[in-house]
Amino acid sequence: MVRIISYKTRQKEDGTNFYLLEVQGGIEMVLSKATGQYYATAKNAIVSTTFDEETCKGLIGSQMAGKISKITTEPYQYTMKESGEEVTLNHKYIYLPEGVENSEEKLAKQLEEAYA
């Protein structure tokens, strides 16, 4: 399950607005490379919608079946909000409805089954 935590407004080329939902997965414990201590985090992703702004506002706090999955992308520059540091990333997180797997997950499953 994912939870809708906010929405964002974007503008089309013709000047009209459209809205995106920001969804967040469940809590995950991650081991810090710097401190060696665990910390709690959650993955976020953006989902396009056909909804108006009022509908998006009303959906905040709702849950949807599915998960957030990490996918590989072409490298891109990203500026860390907290520190201003610019880093190169080659992944992003996407929302997948329940029962849908991305191609990387399918490949991992096939390899697991082949060597089981």
Side-chain angles (χ1 to χ4, degrees):
M1 294 293 278
V2 300
R3 187 170 47 91
I4 299 169
I5 61 170
S6 71
Y7 74 94
K8 299 181 181 307
T9 306
R10 296 291 184 261
Q11 207 167 57
K12 297 179 190 176
E13 289 179 9
D14 66 5
T16 59
N17 288 340
F18 68 99
Y19 301 94
L20 307 167
L21 296 176
E22 183 176 6
V23 297
Q24 185 174 69
I27 190 169
E28 298 178 26
M29 298 305 294
V30 177
L31 182 62
S32 169
K33 292 177 185 174
T35 67
Q37 300 293 314
Y38 282 91
Y39 63 94
T41 189
K43 295 175 187 166
N44 291 356
I46 300 295
V47 179
S48 299
T49 75
T50 59
F51 302 140
D52 61 16
E53 186 171 15
E54 288 304 310
T55 302
C56 290
K57 282 181 187 177
L59 289 171
I60 294 174
S62 299
Q63 291 190 331
M64 299 187 324
K67 64 183 175 181
I68 296 175
S69 183
K70 182 178 180 177
I71 62 166
T72 303
T73 63
E74 291 295 320
Y76 63 96
Q77 296 301 114
Y78 177 78
T79 303
M80 307 282 276
K81 292 178 186 173
E82 304 82 29
S83 65
E85 177 186 1
E86 192 170 282
V87 296
T88 301
L89 299 176
N90 66 344
H91 69 275
K92 69 177 184 175
Y93 294 100
I94 60 168
Y95 166 75
L96 294 175
E98 193 171 280
V100 176
E101 295 177 355
N102 71 34
S103 58
E104 293 170 359
E105 290 173 324
K106 285 180 186 175
L107 178 59
K109 246 185 207 175
Q110 288 170 346
L111 289 172
E112 184 178 303
E113 289 169 1
Y115 293 102

